[in-house]
Amino acid sequence: MKVVLLHMPWGSIDVPSLALGILRATASRAGHDVQVRYANIDFVDWVTGVTDFTLADYRYFSESSYFLGAGDWVFSGLLDDEDRPFDPYARLLTEGGSTDAEIALTRAMHRLVPGFIRELAAELAAAAPDVVGFTTTFQQNAASLAVARLVKQARPGTRIVFGGANCDGPQGAALHRNFRYVDFVVRGEGEVAFPRLLAALNAVTDTVTGAADGSGRVGSSGLADISGLCWRDADGVARANPMSSRPLPPGDIVAPDYTGYLDRLDASAAADWVAPRLVVEGSRGCWWGEKHHCTFCGLNGSFMQFRSKSPTRFLDEVLDLARRHQLLDFIVVDNILDMAYFDSVLQRLAESEYDVRLHFEVKANLRRRHFQQLNDSGAVQVQPGVENLSSHVLRLMDKGVTGCQNVRALRDAQSAGVTASWNYLYGFPGETAQDYTGVIDQLPALHHLEPPMGAARIAIERFSPYFDRPELGFTTLRPAPQYAEIYRLPEAELADLAYIFTSVPQGIDRTRADKLDAALATWQARYPVSRLTYQELPDRIVLVSQRAAYDWTVLELTTAPEIALFRLLDQPRTAATLAAKVPGGAAVVVPLLDRWSALGILFHDDGYQVHLAVESDNQVLARTDHRRTTAARHSEEEPHAVVVG
């Protein structure tokens, strides 16, 4: 069977599609002729040939406008025969913080992209594949649907299959129900379901019923038994098989086949825009979320259960990909790093001859030695899920960390030479103005540490506790307004199709949020020239400061109580605990804590304090443009509930 799998705009262009790499591997093993087409790269070549489109423009649609839906809206006019007026959507963009230039770009792209879609659909139809499959994650829905519709019109016998994160649970069933040119939707993990679907289609010996009207229906034999599959019976009635309650075991998670991706990128205008990286996965699910599902997080969809490949297998996959593609940069898409990998995978990578560079998501309660292991293994960047510096707000999130632990993580990552990428989230039911006032007042002391990429009020994601449990504070939910502008469907259908929802805003008001935004902007501006480091010498500890809010440069700690107290403040501790451990007790400790706080050496939260000084060995790290990642994008992962802007 001839199969073409498509990765549509606005998929990231600097990485191959993990989903399509996996499906290519599984379908090829079953004997099918499978091609992966990177239509997102095709689009770059097409659009740069007719406009002065830039990488920044692509990233606006693929990343920063995710929670406004601009990437989907520009393709929406091709989903049906109904035109989309621009003014109502432009108002949504304005309210969401898009600039005039971004709004004008959105309008221009809406007028331009039909040319690309028609060319691509014509090429696909002319190639006469038996199956055209789409992976849809983030803002790939509308572009994928647009191509599917035209392919089906041109060649009704072609079977159209959708899968990916946008097809999980009710979303996939709604997509299949409302877009009849989509024959099948694979919901959940596709390693088993997709090859079984191809086998069922291959087994059909009679002609496709209703081929003239493009229904693509086949007999129900074999289809009704494929877990999670959405299909149509002989009468054209949409069916949605129950999804499996058991996630795929780690041993059955297939390694991806990325053949052709680098050649396609090298031949593209996009080769001048990005440096390619490969995508790997060591696990699925979240071991923290199994116990404490973070209230705002919709990641993992239907399968939260944590499953991890054996360390040996994961390492072999990474090194095999590095050898095969002669590329050393990797993004590990795991929602959270398996703690067992520290003394296995990371240690072996550190000892190997490969100078691999990796990105991991980790939990912020890691200790200094963990960050050093990450650095030694080649982990140049981590996302520690910091998200707030108030312990009270973090408890509302059910994050399992404190504000001081988050600050410690930023400090220790920098001491180890590891970049930490994070965002500041607010808008949680139960938070107070004081949760932010106390932090904002202390931010000048943190200007030497990695600042967040930005701050945003949370949106409500499907599959999150805030979505499933109204008693947590969001009692009335509606699909985010961009869905009605994109899809032109009844609200009941949008409620199943949507991933992002709106509700009455909770938590701090706009005035307090603006103050937070301004304080974080100052942090971002001053970070490259700020410094607070320490050096341990045999008889003293020397601190060096270069921060705009403080006029001191060098401080030497020479007495035994000072040295003992500073060392104890390596970890968050209360004043009472410190007084019990430092010679001289509270009479010595309290004045020192007060003085060091005034000097910006300590961070305080929820009765605890921790010192902020970075080990001096890594004080000269290059800081310009090394944080050029986004909060929402980790290639194949789902974004957190944040609106950038």
Side-chain angles (χ1 to χ4, degrees):
M1 182 168 286
K2 185 176 180 180
V3 181
V4 177
L5 303 176
L6 280 94
H7 193 44
M8 293 296 295
W10 301 93
S12 298
I13 56 179
D14 60 338
V15 293
S17 167
L18 175 63
L20 296 188
I22 288 173
L23 294 184
R24 179 178 190 165
T26 57
S28 296
R29 290 176 190 173
H32 301 287
D33 175 12
V34 184
Q35 299 177 8
V36 172
R37 179 154 185 175
Y38 283 92
N40 57 335
I41 300 177
D42 294 342
F43 177 78
V44 170
D45 289 344
W46 182 88
V47 75
T48 55
V50 295
T51 72
D52 57 356
F53 197 80
T54 67
L55 174 60
D57 296 333
Y58 194 95
R59 283 179 169 164
Y60 170 69
F61 291 113
S62 67
E63 300 169 5
S64 62
S65 71
Y66 174 73
F67 289 91
L68 299 172
D72 275 326
W73 189 85
V74 298
F75 290 101
S76 61
L78 294 159
L79 304 188
D80 47 44
D81 295 319
E82 184 179 351
D83 192 22
R84 305 297 196 268
F86 183 64
D87 288 347
Y89 185 64
R91 286 193 290 272
L92 290 180
L93 292 178
T94 300
E95 293 167 1
S98 293
T99 66
D100 290 343
E102 290 166 341
I103 294 171
L105 175 65
T106 302
R107 184 172 196 166
M109 283 297 106
H110 183 67
R111 293 170 172 170
L112 196 63
V113 296
F116 169 74
I117 294 297
R118 293 187 183 105
E119 287 184 18
L120 177 59
E123 291 177 17
L124 290 169
D130 300 297
V131 173
V132 175
F134 297 84
T135 182
T136 172
T137 302
F138 305 151
Q139 298 194 79
Q140 291 181 296
N141 248 14
S144 300
L145 288 167
V147 172
R149 180 176 182 238
L150 295 187
V151 169
K152 200 68 170 175
Q153 288 176 353
R155 194 169 181 274
T158 303
R159 280 65 174 266
I160 304 295
V161 184
F162 271 57
N166 289 340
C167 296
D168 200 358
Q171 294 173 273
L175 187 150
H176 182 254
R177 228 174 21 244
N178 287 284
F179 299 97
R180 295 190 63 82
Y181 44 85
V182 177
D183 299 310
F184 305 99
V185 172
V186 176
R187 300 183 297 164
E189 298 167 306
E191 285 96 328
V192 176
F194 185 62
R196 288 189 63 189
L197 171 60
L198 295 181
L201 296 178
N202 208 30
V204 175
T205 56
D206 57 327
T207 59
V208 176
T209 63
D213 67 4
S215 66
R217 296 193 297 273
V218 300
S220 63
S221 176
L223 299 181
D225 298 326
I226 300 175
S227 294
L229 182 69
C230 298
W231 54 287
R232 291 182 179 84
D233 63 22
D235 296 322
V237 177
R239 305 290 185 185
N241 298 341
M243 296 182 65
S244 173
S245 59
R246 291 184 297 178
L248 200 66
D252 294 340
I253 298 175
V254 177
D257 179 354
Y258 292 141
T259 302
Y261 164 72
L262 289 176
D263 290 338
R264 178 65 191 94
L265 180 62
D266 287 344
S268 167
D272 295 328
W273 286 3
V274 297
R277 296 174 290 177
L278 297 179
V279 183
V280 291
E281 61 176 343
S283 66
R284 292 181 185 172
C286 179
W287 53 260
W288 175 255
E290 279 191 279
K291 299 176 290 186
H292 299 277
H293 191 171
C294 297
T295 54
F296 65 93
C297 180
L299 298 183
N300 299 296
S302 301
F303 295 118
M304 178 65 74
Q305 296 95 320
F306 184 72
R307 297 145 284 155
S308 182
K309 295 176 182 177
S310 72
T312 298
R313 182 186 165 198
F314 173 67
L315 184 62
D316 287 346
E317 287 182 11
V318 170
L319 298 183
D320 180 63
L321 286 168
R323 284 188 293 263
R324 189 185 315 169
H325 297 286
Q326 296 296 292
L327 193 63
L328 296 173
D329 291 289
F330 290 86
I331 289 186
V332 184
V333 298
D334 303 8
N335 293 152
I336 190 167
L337 181 60
D338 186 344
M339 294 299 292
Y341 278 14
F342 277 93
D343 294 326
S344 54
V345 171
L346 299 189
Q347 182 174 332
R348 288 182 58 189
L349 281 173
E351 297 168 352
S352 77
E353 60 185 5
Y354 291 90
D355 185 22
V356 295
R357 295 175 291 274
L358 305 107
H359 172 282
F360 288 105
E361 288 197 45
V362 299
K363 193 164 170 56
N365 62 355
L366 296 183
R367 295 303 185 96
R368 172 66 175 81
R369 66 178 180 85
H370 293 123
F371 286 108
Q372 191 61 53
Q373 286 178 285
L374 286 162
N375 175 280
D376 293 343
S377 73
V380 295
Q381 185 178 58
V382 297
Q383 182 176 344
V386 169
E387 279 138 4
N388 205 285
L389 299 182
S390 162
S391 293
H392 178 235
V393 179
L394 292 164
R395 283 193 293 271
L396 295 174
M397 298 185 197
D398 210 359
K399 288 288 292 184
V401 291
T402 67
C404 283
Q405 284 178 315
N406 278 346
V407 169
R408 181 190 68 186
L410 297 176
R411 183 200 69 194
D412 288 352
Q414 189 165 315
S415 289
V418 175
T419 298
S421 176
W422 63 292
N423 278 279
Y424 212 112
L425 303 184
Y426 59 87
F428 297 91
E431 70 183 18
T432 68
Q434 186 55 41
D435 293 326
Y436 294 86
T437 301
V439 170
I440 291 171
D441 290 344
Q442 296 186 79
L443 290 187
L446 276 60
H447 283 175
H448 62 294
L449 300 179
E450 194 83 35
M453 302 295 293
R457 185 176 297 277
I458 61 166
I460 311 304
E461 297 180 346
R462 185 184 296 279
F463 306 115
S464 70
Y466 279 147
F467 178 82
D468 292 326
R469 297 173 56 194
E471 70 273 14
L472 293 178
F474 293 101
T475 57
T476 303
L477 298 178
R478 296 188 64 182
Q482 64 265 23
Y483 291 106
E485 299 296 329
I486 296 166
Y487 294 107
R488 292 295 193 256
L489 295 173
E491 184 158 339
E493 292 298 325
L494 293 177
D496 281 347
L497 186 66
Y499 181 74
I500 303 299
F501 293 80
T502 61
S503 185
V504 176
Q506 300 288 323
I508 58 173
D509 60 19
R510 183 66 261 170
T511 299
R512 187 72 54 181
D514 287 344
K515 291 181 179 179
L516 176 64
D517 288 340
L520 296 181
T522 301
W523 186 356
Q524 292 168 339
R526 291 181 177 168
Y527 168 68
V529 295
S530 297
R531 168 184 175 184
L532 176 63
T533 61
Y534 78 95
Q535 177 89 40
E536 285 226 28
L537 300 175
D539 60 342
R540 64 194 186 279
I541 296 174
V542 180
L543 289 89
V544 177
S545 174
Q546 182 180 333
R547 293 167 295 166
Y550 302 95
D551 59 5
W552 64 277
T553 303
V554 178
L555 176 68
E556 294 192 358
L557 310 181
T558 58
T559 68
E562 287 177 323
I563 293 172
L565 180 61
F566 184 82
R567 288 172 176 167
L568 285 169
L569 285 165
D570 181 64
Q571 305 300 324
R573 302 184 193 276
T574 65
T577 299
L578 294 167
K581 293 178 176 289
V582 173
V588 171
V589 166
V590 172
L592 281 176
L593 292 178
D594 290 342
R595 179 171 180 247
W596 291 356
S597 296
L599 296 175
I601 296 172
L602 306 181
F603 178 81
H604 297 263
D605 177 67
D606 202 30
Y608 288 80
Q609 45 260 309
V610 66
H611 84 68
L612 300 172
V614 175
E615 295 170 26
S616 61
D617 290 347
N618 284 306
Q619 63 187 344
V620 207
L621 290 174
R623 295 180 173 184
T624 305
D625 290 335
H626 75 292
R627 295 184 298 117
R628 300 294 295 180
T629 60
T630 64
R633 191 199 80 213
H634 299 289
S635 333
E636 304 291 323
E637 334 127 25
E638 301 215 19
H640 285 301
V642 358
V643 182
V644 179

